[in-house]
């Protein structure tokens, strides 16, 4: 079993993780103001609306910012690794690791990426990002 900590879905995040298991990236969209919200929130940070269903997004975006991690603070992470905020085409940011055939030193702000779902043993699919 992978020693990494596992996500702990709750009533708010369960629909997100269920979509990931289907290979689908979703974010919340406020029915009051129409803005997308990610990470999951119980209340829209833009208007205070409380009806925030999940909807599928393309999974395509660009690196907004990133960090190359050279010291693992939790077990199960092979260093170095890259974590990033991704500006999705739909106008919201998503978070995750940059994976695939790219060296950490080659990741750049503005790099086009697309979502990739990787299996986290003991949990299921989690989203990461790879160069598009």
């Amino acid at each position: 079993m992978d020693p990494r900590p596992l996500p702990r879905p709750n009533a708010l995040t369960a629909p997100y993780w269920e979509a990931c298991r289907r290979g689908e990236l979703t974010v919340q969209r406020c029915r009051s103001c129409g803005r997308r919200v990610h990470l999951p929130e119980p209340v829209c940070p833009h208007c205070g609306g409380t009806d925030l269903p999940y909807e599928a997004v393309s999974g395509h975006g660009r690196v907004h910012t990133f960090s190359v991690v050279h010291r693992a603070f939790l077990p199960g992470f092979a260093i170095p690794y890259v974590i990033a905020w991704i500006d999705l085409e739909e106008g919201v940011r998503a978070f995750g690791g940059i994976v695939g055939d790219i060296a950490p030193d080659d990741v750049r702000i503005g790099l086009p990426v697309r979502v990739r779902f990787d299996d986290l043993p003991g949990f299921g699919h989690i989203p990461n990002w790879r160069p598009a």
Side-chain angles (χ1 to χ4, degrees), residues 101-119:
D101 295 328
I102 186 166
D105 289 343
D106 293 335
V107 175
R108 298 281 180 260
I109 290 172
L111 176 74
V113 293
R114 66 182 184 167
V115 72
R116 169 177 131 174
F117 293 94
D118 295 312
D119 186 55

PDB file of all heavy atoms in Angstrom, residues 101-119:
ATOM      1  N   ASP A 101       6.229  13.047 -18.526  1.00  0.00           N
ATOM      2  CA  ASP A 101       7.577  13.130 -19.078  1.00  0.00           C
ATOM      3  C   ASP A 101       8.082  14.564 -19.102  1.00  0.00           C
ATOM      4  O   ASP A 101       8.342  15.134 -20.172  1.00  0.00           O
ATOM      5  CB  ASP A 101       7.606  12.527 -20.486  1.00  0.00           C
ATOM      6  CG  ASP A 101       7.315  11.048 -20.475  1.00  0.00           C
ATOM      7  OD1 ASP A 101       7.673  10.388 -19.481  1.00  0.00           O
ATOM      8  OD2 ASP A 101       6.727  10.553 -21.450  1.00  0.00           O
ATOM      9  N   ILE A 102       8.233  15.149 -17.927  1.00  0.00           N
ATOM     10  CA  ILE A 102       8.787  16.499 -17.826  1.00  0.00           C
ATOM     11  C   ILE A 102       9.610  16.584 -16.544  1.00  0.00           C
ATOM     12  O   ILE A 102       9.164  16.161 -15.477  1.00  0.00           O
ATOM     13  CB  ILE A 102       7.682  17.587 -17.859  1.00  0.00           C
ATOM     14  CG1 ILE A 102       8.312  18.982 -17.913  1.00  0.00           C
ATOM     15  CG2 ILE A 102       6.714  17.433 -16.697  1.00  0.00           C
ATOM     16  CD1 ILE A 102       7.342  20.080 -18.276  1.00  0.00           C
ATOM     17  N   ALA A 103      10.800  17.096 -16.683  1.00  0.00           N
ATOM     18  CA  ALA A 103      11.661  17.286 -15.521  1.00  0.00           C
ATOM     19  C   ALA A 103      11.169  18.485 -14.725  1.00  0.00           C
ATOM     20  O   ALA A 103      10.665  19.452 -15.309  1.00  0.00           O
ATOM     21  CB  ALA A 103      13.102  17.513 -15.975  1.00  0.00           C
ATOM     22  N   PRO A 104      11.296  18.459 -13.400  1.00  0.00           N
ATOM     23  CA  PRO A 104      10.865  19.612 -12.605  1.00  0.00           C
ATOM     24  C   PRO A 104      11.460  20.933 -13.096  1.00  0.00           C
ATOM     25  O   PRO A 104      10.765  21.952 -13.093  1.00  0.00           O
ATOM     26  CB  PRO A 104      11.342  19.269 -11.197  1.00  0.00           C
ATOM     27  CG  PRO A 104      11.296  17.775 -11.160  1.00  0.00           C
ATOM     28  CD  PRO A 104      11.742  17.348 -12.540  1.00  0.00           C
ATOM     29  N   ASP A 105      12.687  20.922 -13.548  1.00  0.00           N
ATOM     30  CA  ASP A 105      13.321  22.161 -14.023  1.00  0.00           C
ATOM     31  C   ASP A 105      12.719  22.675 -15.323  1.00  0.00           C
ATOM     32  O   ASP A 105      12.990  23.815 -15.719  1.00  0.00           O
ATOM     33  CB  ASP A 105      14.823  21.961 -14.204  1.00  0.00           C
ATOM     34  CG  ASP A 105      15.560  21.836 -12.874  1.00  0.00           C
ATOM     35  OD1 ASP A 105      14.983  22.213 -11.832  1.00  0.00           O
ATOM     36  OD2 ASP A 105      16.708  21.366 -12.883  1.00  0.00           O
ATOM     37  N   ASP A 106      11.927  21.859 -16.023  1.00  0.00           N
ATOM     38  CA  ASP A 106      11.325  22.276 -17.286  1.00  0.00           C
ATOM     39  C   ASP A 106       9.907  22.822 -17.129  1.00  0.00           C
ATOM     40  O   ASP A 106       9.326  23.312 -18.098  1.00  0.00           O
ATOM     41  CB  ASP A 106      11.324  21.105 -18.276  1.00  0.00           C
ATOM     42  CG  ASP A 106      12.734  20.724 -18.706  1.00  0.00           C
ATOM     43  OD1 ASP A 106      13.635  21.583 -18.657  1.00  0.00           O
ATOM     44  OD2 ASP A 106      12.926  19.552 -19.084  1.00  0.00           O
ATOM     45  N   VAL A 107       9.347  22.744 -15.938  1.00  0.00           N
ATOM     46  CA  VAL A 107       8.018  23.310 -15.698  1.00  0.00           C
ATOM     47  C   VAL A 107       8.141  24.831 -15.679  1.00  0.00           C
ATOM     48  O   VAL A 107       9.078  25.380 -15.097  1.00  0.00           O
ATOM     49  CB  VAL A 107       7.421  22.786 -14.369  1.00  0.00           C
ATOM     50  CG1 VAL A 107       6.097  23.463 -14.058  1.00  0.00           C
ATOM     51  CG2 VAL A 107       7.263  21.270 -14.436  1.00  0.00           C
ATOM     52  N   ARG A 108       7.212  25.492 -16.339  1.00  0.00           N
ATOM     53  CA  ARG A 108       7.223  26.951 -16.432  1.00  0.00           C
ATOM     54  C   ARG A 108       5.811  27.502 -16.247  1.00  0.00           C
ATOM     55  O   ARG A 108       4.833  26.843 -16.592  1.00  0.00           O
ATOM     56  CB  ARG A 108       7.716  27.407 -17.819  1.00  0.00           C
ATOM     57  CG  ARG A 108       9.122  27.005 -18.147  1.00  0.00           C
ATOM     58  CD  ARG A 108      10.109  27.937 -17.443  1.00  0.00           C
ATOM     59  NE  ARG A 108      11.482  27.579 -17.726  1.00  0.00           N
ATOM     60  CZ  ARG A 108      12.279  26.879 -16.933  1.00  0.00           C
ATOM     61  NH1 ARG A 108      11.839  26.444 -15.779  1.00  0.00           N
ATOM     62  NH2 ARG A 108      13.521  26.639 -17.255  1.00  0.00           N
ATOM     63  N   ILE A 109       5.729  28.730 -15.764  1.00  0.00           N
ATOM     64  CA  ILE A 109       4.451  29.438 -15.722  1.00  0.00           C
ATOM     65  C   ILE A 109       3.971  29.583 -17.163  1.00  0.00           C
ATOM     66  O   ILE A 109       4.749  29.918 -18.058  1.00  0.00           O
ATOM     67  CB  ILE A 109       4.610  30.796 -15.014  1.00  0.00           C
ATOM     68  CG1 ILE A 109       4.863  30.550 -13.525  1.00  0.00           C
ATOM     69  CG2 ILE A 109       3.390  31.682 -15.243  1.00  0.00           C
ATOM     70  CD1 ILE A 109       5.218  31.776 -12.735  1.00  0.00           C
ATOM     71  N   GLY A 110       2.706  29.288 -17.381  1.00  0.00           N
ATOM     72  CA  GLY A 110       2.127  29.348 -18.718  1.00  0.00           C
ATOM     73  C   GLY A 110       2.164  28.034 -19.471  1.00  0.00           C
ATOM     74  O   GLY A 110       1.578  27.927 -20.549  1.00  0.00           O
ATOM     75  N   LEU A 111       2.828  27.011 -18.922  1.00  0.00           N
ATOM     76  CA  LEU A 111       2.907  25.711 -19.578  1.00  0.00           C
ATOM     77  C   LEU A 111       1.502  25.138 -19.774  1.00  0.00           C
ATOM     78  O   LEU A 111       0.745  25.023 -18.810  1.00  0.00           O
ATOM     79  CB  LEU A 111       3.741  24.753 -18.722  1.00  0.00           C
ATOM     80  CG  LEU A 111       3.854  23.314 -19.220  1.00  0.00           C
ATOM     81  CD1 LEU A 111       4.786  23.246 -20.429  1.00  0.00           C
ATOM     82  CD2 LEU A 111       4.369  22.402 -18.108  1.00  0.00           C
ATOM     83  N   PRO A 112       1.131  24.770 -21.012  1.00  0.00           N
ATOM     84  CA  PRO A 112      -0.166  24.142 -21.219  1.00  0.00           C
ATOM     85  C   PRO A 112      -0.174  22.737 -20.618  1.00  0.00           C
ATOM     86  O   PRO A 112       0.769  21.971 -20.808  1.00  0.00           O
ATOM     87  CB  PRO A 112      -0.321  24.065 -22.738  1.00  0.00           C
ATOM     88  CG  PRO A 112       0.788  24.869 -23.316  1.00  0.00           C
ATOM     89  CD  PRO A 112       1.845  24.997 -22.264  1.00  0.00           C
ATOM     90  N   VAL A 113      -1.234  22.425 -19.886  1.00  0.00           N
ATOM     91  CA  VAL A 113      -1.361  21.120 -19.229  1.00  0.00           C
ATOM     92  C   VAL A 113      -2.778  20.602 -19.398  1.00  0.00           C
ATOM     93  O   VAL A 113      -3.691  21.351 -19.746  1.00  0.00           O
ATOM     94  CB  VAL A 113      -1.015  21.197 -17.724  1.00  0.00           C
ATOM     95  CG1 VAL A 113       0.458  21.511 -17.507  1.00  0.00           C
ATOM     96  CG2 VAL A 113      -1.886  22.213 -17.003  1.00  0.00           C
ATOM     97  N   ARG A 114      -2.932  19.304 -19.141  1.00  0.00           N
ATOM     98  CA  ARG A 114      -4.270  18.714 -19.087  1.00  0.00           C
ATOM     99  C   ARG A 114      -4.305  17.720 -17.941  1.00  0.00           C
ATOM    100  O   ARG A 114      -3.270  17.201 -17.509  1.00  0.00           O
ATOM    101  CB  ARG A 114      -4.675  18.083 -20.396  1.00  0.00           C
ATOM    102  CG  ARG A 114      -3.879  16.902 -20.795  1.00  0.00           C
ATOM    103  CD  ARG A 114      -4.362  16.395 -22.137  1.00  0.00           C
ATOM    104  NE  ARG A 114      -3.643  15.196 -22.487  1.00  0.00           N
ATOM    105  CZ  ARG A 114      -3.980  14.387 -23.433  1.00  0.00           C
ATOM    106  NH1 ARG A 114      -5.051  14.640 -24.148  1.00  0.00           N
ATOM    107  NH2 ARG A 114      -3.284  13.317 -23.685  1.00  0.00           N
ATOM    108  N   VAL A 115      -5.477  17.474 -17.456  1.00  0.00           N
ATOM    109  CA  VAL A 115      -5.637  16.610 -16.297  1.00  0.00           C
ATOM    110  C   VAL A 115      -5.299  15.171 -16.662  1.00  0.00           C
ATOM    111  O   VAL A 115      -5.503  14.735 -17.796  1.00  0.00           O
ATOM    112  CB  VAL A 115      -7.057  16.726 -15.694  1.00  0.00           C
ATOM    113  CG1 VAL A 115      -8.099  16.064 -16.573  1.00  0.00           C
ATOM    114  CG2 VAL A 115      -7.100  16.189 -14.281  1.00  0.00           C
ATOM    115  N   ARG A 116      -4.776  14.475 -15.692  1.00  0.00           N
ATOM    116  CA  ARG A 116      -4.493  13.042 -15.804  1.00  0.00           C
ATOM    117  C   ARG A 116      -4.895  12.439 -14.465  1.00  0.00           C
ATOM    118  O   ARG A 116      -4.529  12.970 -13.409  1.00  0.00           O
ATOM    119  CB  ARG A 116      -3.005  12.844 -16.061  1.00  0.00           C
ATOM    120  CG  ARG A 116      -2.561  11.396 -15.938  1.00  0.00           C
ATOM    121  CD  ARG A 116      -1.095  11.283 -16.275  1.00  0.00           C
ATOM    122  NE  ARG A 116      -0.417  10.525 -15.246  1.00  0.00           N
ATOM    123  CZ  ARG A 116       0.853  10.169 -15.318  1.00  0.00           C
ATOM    124  NH1 ARG A 116       1.590  10.532 -16.343  1.00  0.00           N
ATOM    125  NH2 ARG A 116       1.391   9.466 -14.360  1.00  0.00           N
ATOM    126  N   PHE A 117      -5.619  11.342 -14.513  1.00  0.00           N
ATOM    127  CA  PHE A 117      -6.054  10.698 -13.279  1.00  0.00           C
ATOM    128  C   PHE A 117      -5.151   9.510 -12.989  1.00  0.00           C
ATOM    129  O   PHE A 117      -4.997   8.619 -13.818  1.00  0.00           O
ATOM    130  CB  PHE A 117      -7.518  10.260 -13.386  1.00  0.00           C
ATOM    131  CG  PHE A 117      -8.443  11.436 -13.467  1.00  0.00           C
ATOM    132  CD1 PHE A 117      -8.860  11.925 -14.692  1.00  0.00           C
ATOM    133  CD2 PHE A 117      -8.864  12.081 -12.320  1.00  0.00           C
ATOM    134  CE1 PHE A 117      -9.695  13.025 -14.775  1.00  0.00           C
ATOM    135  CE2 PHE A 117      -9.694  13.188 -12.384  1.00  0.00           C
ATOM    136  CZ  PHE A 117     -10.106  13.659 -13.619  1.00  0.00           C
ATOM    137  N   ASP A 118      -4.520   9.545 -11.826  1.00  0.00           N
ATOM    138  CA  ASP A 118      -3.619   8.484 -11.397  1.00  0.00           C
ATOM    139  C   ASP A 118      -4.249   7.747 -10.228  1.00  0.00           C
ATOM    140  O   ASP A 118      -4.939   8.350  -9.401  1.00  0.00           O
ATOM    141  CB  ASP A 118      -2.271   9.064 -10.968  1.00  0.00           C
ATOM    142  CG  ASP A 118      -1.538   9.719 -12.127  1.00  0.00           C
ATOM    143  OD1 ASP A 118      -1.438   9.088 -13.197  1.00  0.00           O
ATOM    144  OD2 ASP A 118      -1.067  10.856 -11.963  1.00  0.00           O
ATOM    145  N   ASP A 119      -3.979   6.461 -10.150  1.00  0.00           N
ATOM    146  CA  ASP A 119      -4.518   5.647  -9.072  1.00  0.00           C
ATOM    147  C   ASP A 119      -3.686   5.830  -7.810  1.00  0.00           C
ATOM    148  O   ASP A 119      -2.464   5.662  -7.844  1.00  0.00           O
ATOM    149  CB  ASP A 119      -4.539   4.174  -9.471  1.00  0.00           C
ATOM    150  CG  ASP A 119      -5.227   3.333  -8.418  1.00  0.00           C
ATOM    151  OD1 ASP A 119      -6.386   3.652  -8.085  1.00  0.00           O
ATOM    152  OD2 ASP A 119      -4.612   2.383  -7.916  1.00  0.00           O
TER     153      ASP A 119
END
